[in-house]
Coordinates of all heavy atoms in Angstrom, one line a residue:
S63 N 7.1 30.3 -13.2 CA 7.9 31.3 -12.4 C 8.9 30.7 -11.5 O 9.7 31.4 -10.8 CB 7.0 32.2 -11.6 OG 6.2 31.5 -10.7
L64 N 9.0 29.4 -11.4 CA 9.9 28.6 -10.5 C 11.3 28.5 -11.1 O 11.5 28.0 -12.2 CB 9.3 27.2 -10.2 CG 10.2 26.3 -9.5 CD1 10.4 26.7 -8.0 CD2 9.6 24.9 -9.5
L65 N 12.2 28.9 -10.3 CA 13.6 28.6 -10.5 C 14.2 27.9 -9.3 O 13.8 28.2 -8.2 CB 14.5 29.8 -10.8 CG 14.2 30.5 -12.1 CD1 15.0 31.8 -12.2 CD2 14.5 29.6 -13.3
E66 N 15.1 26.9 -9.4 CA 15.6 26.3 -8.2 C 17.1 26.4 -8.2 O 17.8 26.5 -9.2 CB 15.2 24.8 -8.2 CG 15.8 23.9 -9.2 CD 15.4 22.5 -9.0 OE1 16.1 21.8 -8.3 OE2 14.5 22.0 -9.7
H67 N 17.6 26.5 -6.9 CA 19.0 26.5 -6.7 C 19.3 25.7 -5.4 O 18.7 26.0 -4.4 CB 19.5 28.0 -6.5 CG 21.0 28.1 -6.4 ND1 21.8 28.1 -7.5 CD2 21.8 28.2 -5.3 CE1 23.0 28.2 -7.1 NE2 23.1 28.3 -5.8
D68 N 20.1 24.6 -5.6 CA 20.3 23.7 -4.5 C 19.0 23.2 -3.8 O 18.9 23.2 -2.6 CB 21.2 24.4 -3.4 CG 22.6 24.7 -3.9 OD1 23.1 23.9 -4.8 OD2 23.2 25.6 -3.4
T69 N 18.1 22.8 -4.7 CA 16.8 22.3 -4.3 C 15.9 23.2 -3.5 O 15.0 22.8 -2.8 CB 16.9 20.9 -3.6 OG1 17.5 21.1 -2.3 CG2 17.7 19.9 -4.4
E70 N 16.2 24.5 -3.6 CA 15.4 25.5 -2.9 C 14.6 26.3 -4.0 O 15.2 26.7 -5.1 CB 16.2 26.5 -2.1 CG 16.9 25.8 -0.9 CD 15.9 25.4 0.1 OE1 14.9 26.1 0.4 OE2 16.2 24.3 0.7
P71 N 13.3 26.6 -3.8 CA 12.6 27.4 -4.8 C 12.8 28.9 -4.7 O 13.0 29.5 -3.6 CB 11.1 27.1 -4.4 CG 11.1 26.8 -3.0 CD 12.5 26.2 -2.7
F72 N 12.9 29.5 -5.9 CA 13.2 31.0 -6.0 C 12.3 31.5 -7.1 O 12.0 30.8 -8.1 CB 14.6 31.3 -6.3 CG 15.6 31.0 -5.2 CD1 16.2 29.8 -5.2 CD2 15.8 32.0 -4.3 CE1 17.1 29.5 -4.1 CE2 16.7 31.7 -3.2 CZ 17.4 30.5 -3.2
C73 N 11.9 32.8 -7.0 CA 11.2 33.4 -8.1 C 12.4 34.0 -9.0 O 13.5 34.1 -8.5 CB 10.3 34.6 -7.7 SG 11.1 35.9 -6.8
K74 N 12.1 34.4 -10.2 CA 13.1 34.9 -11.1 C 13.9 36.1 -10.6 O 15.1 36.1 -10.6 CB 12.5 35.1 -12.5 CG 12.2 33.8 -13.2 CD 11.6 34.1 -14.6 CE 11.1 32.7 -15.2 NZ 10.6 32.9 -16.5
P75 N 13.2 37.1 -10.1 CA 13.9 38.3 -9.6 C 14.8 38.0 -8.4 O 16.0 38.5 -8.4 CB 12.8 39.3 -9.2 CG 11.6 38.9 -10.0 CD 11.7 37.4 -10.1
C76 N 14.4 37.2 -7.5 CA 15.2 36.9 -6.3 C 16.4 36.0 -6.7 O 17.5 36.1 -6.2 CB 14.4 36.1 -5.2 SG 13.2 37.2 -4.4
H77 N 16.2 35.1 -7.7 CA 17.3 34.3 -8.1 C 18.4 35.1 -8.8 O 19.6 34.9 -8.6 CB 16.8 33.2 -9.1 CG 17.8 32.2 -9.5 ND1 18.6 32.3 -10.6 CD2 18.1 31.0 -8.9 CE1 19.4 31.3 -10.7 NE2 19.1 30.4 -9.7
V78 N 18.0 36.1 -9.6 CA 18.9 37.0 -10.2 C 19.7 37.8 -9.2 O 20.9 38.0 -9.2 CB 18.2 37.9 -11.3 CG1 19.2 39.0 -11.7 CG2 17.7 37.1 -12.4
K79 N 19.0 38.3 -8.2 CA 19.6 39.1 -7.1 C 20.6 38.3 -6.3 O 21.7 38.7 -6.0 CB 18.6 39.7 -6.2 CG 17.8 40.9 -6.8 CD 16.7 41.4 -5.8 CE 15.8 42.3 -6.4 NZ 14.7 42.6 -5.5
A80 N 20.2 37.1 -6.0 CA 21.0 36.3 -5.1 C 22.2 35.6 -5.8 O 23.3 35.5 -5.2 CB 20.1 35.2 -4.4
F81 N 22.0 35.2 -7.0 CA 23.0 34.3 -7.7 C 23.5 34.9 -9.0 O 24.4 34.4 -9.6 CB 22.5 32.9 -7.9 CG 21.9 32.3 -6.7 CD1 20.6 32.2 -6.5 CD2 22.8 31.8 -5.7 CE1 20.1 31.6 -5.4 CE2 22.3 31.3 -4.5 CZ 20.9 31.1 -4.4
G82 N 22.9 36.0 -9.5 CA 23.3 36.6 -10.8 C 22.9 35.6 -11.9 O 22.4 34.5 -11.6
T83 N 23.1 36.0 -13.1 CA 22.8 35.1 -14.2 C 24.1 34.9 -15.0 O 24.9 35.9 -15.2 CB 21.7 35.7 -15.1 OG1 22.1 37.0 -15.6 CG2 20.4 35.8 -14.4
V84 N 24.3 33.8 -15.6 CA 25.4 33.5 -16.4 C 24.8 33.0 -17.7 O 24.0 32.0 -17.7 CB 26.3 32.4 -15.8 CG1 27.4 32.1 -16.8 CG2 26.9 33.0 -14.5
D85 N 25.1 33.6 -18.8 CA 24.6 33.1 -20.1 C 25.5 32.1 -20.6 O 26.6 32.3 -21.0 CB 24.5 34.3 -21.1 CG 23.8 34.0 -22.3 OD1 23.3 32.8 -22.5 OD2 23.8 34.8 -23.2
L86 N 25.0 30.8 -20.6 CA 25.9 29.7 -21.0 C 25.6 29.3 -22.5 O 26.1 28.4 -23.0 CB 25.6 28.5 -20.1 CG 25.9 28.7 -18.7 CD1 25.5 27.4 -17.9 CD2 27.4 29.0 -18.5
R87 N 24.8 30.1 -23.2 CA 24.5 29.8 -24.6 C 25.7 29.8 -25.4 O 25.9 29.0 -26.4 CB 23.4 30.7 -25.1 CG 22.1 30.5 -24.5 CD 21.1 31.4 -25.1 NE 21.4 32.8 -24.6 CZ 20.7 33.8 -24.8 NH1 19.6 33.8 -25.6 NH2 21.0 35.0 -24.3
S88 N 26.7 30.7 -25.2 CA 27.9 30.7 -26.0 C 28.9 29.8 -25.6 O 29.9 29.6 -26.3 CB 28.4 32.2 -26.0 OG 28.8 32.5 -24.7
A89 N 28.8 29.1 -24.5 CA 29.8 28.2 -24.0 C 30.0 27.0 -24.9 O 31.1 26.4 -24.9 CB 29.5 27.7 -22.6
N90 N 29.0 26.6 -25.6 CA 29.1 25.4 -26.5 C 29.4 25.7 -27.9 O 29.4 24.8 -28.7 CB 27.7 24.6 -26.4 CG 27.5 24.0 -25.0 OD1 28.5 23.7 -24.3 ND2 26.3 23.8 -24.6
L91 N 29.7 27.0 -28.2 CA 30.0 27.3 -29.6 C 31.4 26.8 -29.9 O 32.3 26.9 -29.1 CB 30.0 28.8 -29.8 CG 28.6 29.4 -29.7 CD1 28.7 31.0 -29.9 CD2 27.7 28.9 -30.8
P92 N 31.6 26.3 -31.1 CA 32.9 25.8 -31.5 C 33.9 27.0 -31.7 O 33.4 28.0 -32.1 CB 32.7 25.0 -32.8 CG 31.5 25.6 -33.4 CD 30.6 26.0 -32.2
T93 N 35.1 26.8 -31.4 CA 36.1 27.8 -31.7 C 36.8 27.5 -33.0 O 37.0 26.4 -33.3 CB 37.1 27.9 -30.5 OG1 37.8 26.6 -30.4 CG2 36.5 28.3 -29.2
V94 N 37.1 28.6 -33.7 CA 37.8 28.4 -35.0 C 39.3 28.6 -34.7 O 39.7 29.6 -34.1 CB 37.3 29.5 -36.0 CG1 38.0 29.4 -37.3 CG2 35.8 29.4 -36.1
P95 N 40.1 27.6 -35.1 CA 41.6 27.8 -34.9 C 42.1 29.0 -35.7 O 41.7 29.2 -36.8 CB 42.2 26.5 -35.4 CG 41.1 25.9 -36.3 CD 39.8 26.4 -35.8
S96 N 42.9 29.8 -35.1 CA 43.4 31.0 -35.8 C 44.5 30.6 -36.7 O 45.3 29.7 -36.5 CB 43.9 32.0 -34.8 OG 44.9 31.4 -34.0
S97 N 44.5 31.3 -37.9 CA 45.6 31.0 -38.8 C 46.7 32.0 -38.5 O 46.5 33.0 -37.9 CB 45.0 31.3 -40.2 OG 44.6 32.6 -40.4
P98 N 47.9 31.7 -38.9 CA 49.0 32.6 -38.6 C 48.9 33.9 -39.3 O 49.3 34.9 -38.7 CB 50.2 31.8 -39.2 CG 49.7 30.7 -40.0 CD 48.3 30.5 -39.7
S99 N 48.2 34.0 -40.4 CA 48.1 35.3 -41.1 C 47.0 36.2 -40.6 O 47.1 37.4 -40.6 CB 47.9 35.1 -42.6 OG 46.7 34.4 -42.8
R100 N 45.9 35.6 -40.2 CA 44.8 36.4 -39.7 C 44.1 35.8 -38.5 O 43.7 34.6 -38.5 CB 43.7 36.5 -40.9 CG 42.7 37.5 -40.7 CD 41.7 37.5 -41.8 NE 42.3 37.6 -43.1 CZ 41.6 37.7 -44.2 NH1 40.3 37.6 -44.2 NH2 42.2 37.8 -45.4
E101 N 44.1 36.5 -37.4 CA 43.5 36.0 -36.2 C 42.0 36.3 -36.1 O 41.6 37.4 -36.4 CB 44.2 36.6 -35.0 CG 44.0 35.7 -33.8 CD 44.9 36.2 -32.7 OE1 46.2 36.3 -32.9 OE2 44.4 36.4 -31.6
R102 N 41.2 35.3 -35.9 CA 39.8 35.4 -35.8 C 39.3 35.4 -34.3 O 39.9 34.7 -33.5 CB 39.1 34.3 -36.5 CG 39.2 34.3 -38.0 CD 38.4 33.2 -38.5 NE 38.3 33.5 -40.0 CZ 37.5 32.8 -40.7 NH1 36.7 31.8 -40.2 NH2 37.4 33.1 -42.0
P103 N 38.2 36.1 -34.0 CA 37.7 36.0 -32.6 C 37.2 34.6 -32.4 O 36.6 34.0 -33.2 CB 36.6 37.1 -32.6 CG 36.3 37.4 -34.1 CD 37.5 37.0 -34.9
T104 N 37.4 34.2 -31.1 CA 36.9 32.8 -30.8 C 35.7 32.8 -29.9 O 35.1 31.8 -29.8 CB 38.1 32.1 -30.0 OG1 38.4 32.8 -28.9 CG2 39.3 31.8 -30.9
T105 N 35.3 33.9 -29.4 CA 34.0 33.9 -28.6 C 33.2 35.1 -29.1 O 33.6 36.0 -29.8 CB 34.3 34.2 -27.1 OG1 34.9 35.5 -27.0 CG2 35.3 33.2 -26.5
P106 N 31.8 35.0 -28.9 CA 31.0 36.1 -29.3 C 31.3 37.4 -28.8 O 31.1 38.4 -29.4 CB 29.6 35.6 -28.8 CG 29.7 34.1 -28.7 CD 31.1 33.9 -28.3
I107 N 31.9 37.5 -27.6 CA 32.3 38.8 -27.0 C 33.4 39.4 -27.8 O 33.5 40.5 -28.1 CB 32.6 38.6 -25.5 CG1 31.4 38.2 -24.7 CG2 33.2 39.9 -24.9 CD1 31.6 37.8 -23.3
Q108 N 34.4 38.5 -28.1 CA 35.6 39.0 -28.9 C 35.1 39.4 -30.3 O 35.6 40.4 -30.8 CB 36.6 37.9 -29.0 CG 37.4 37.6 -27.8 CD 38.4 36.5 -28.0 OE1 38.2 35.7 -28.9 NE2 39.3 36.4 -27.0
A109 N 34.1 38.7 -30.8 CA 33.6 39.1 -32.2 C 32.9 40.4 -32.1 O 33.0 41.2 -33.0 CB 32.6 38.0 -32.6
A110 N 32.2 40.7 -31.0 CA 31.5 42.0 -30.9 C 32.5 43.1 -30.8 O 32.3 44.2 -31.3 CB 30.6 42.0 -29.7
V111 N 33.7 42.9 -30.1 CA 34.7 43.9 -29.9 C 35.5 44.1 -31.2 O 35.8 45.2 -31.6 CB 35.6 43.5 -28.7 CG1 36.7 44.5 -28.6 CG2 34.8 43.5 -27.4

Side-chain angles (χ1 to χ4, degrees):
S63 60
L64 170 69
L65 291 175
E66 69 175 274
H67 187 82
D68 292 331
T69 68
E70 294 293 323
F72 291 93
C73 65
K74 289 180 184 180
C76 290
H77 189 271
V78 170
K79 286 178 192 172
F81 306 106
T83 57
V84 177
D85 188 5
L86 298 176
R87 289 179 288 183
S88 63
N90 292 331
L91 292 177
T93 58
V94 178
S96 60
S97 64
S99 62
R100 193 183 305 182
E101 198 169 310
R102 291 184 163 191
T104 57
T105 66
I107 295 170
Q108 287 176 344
V111 173

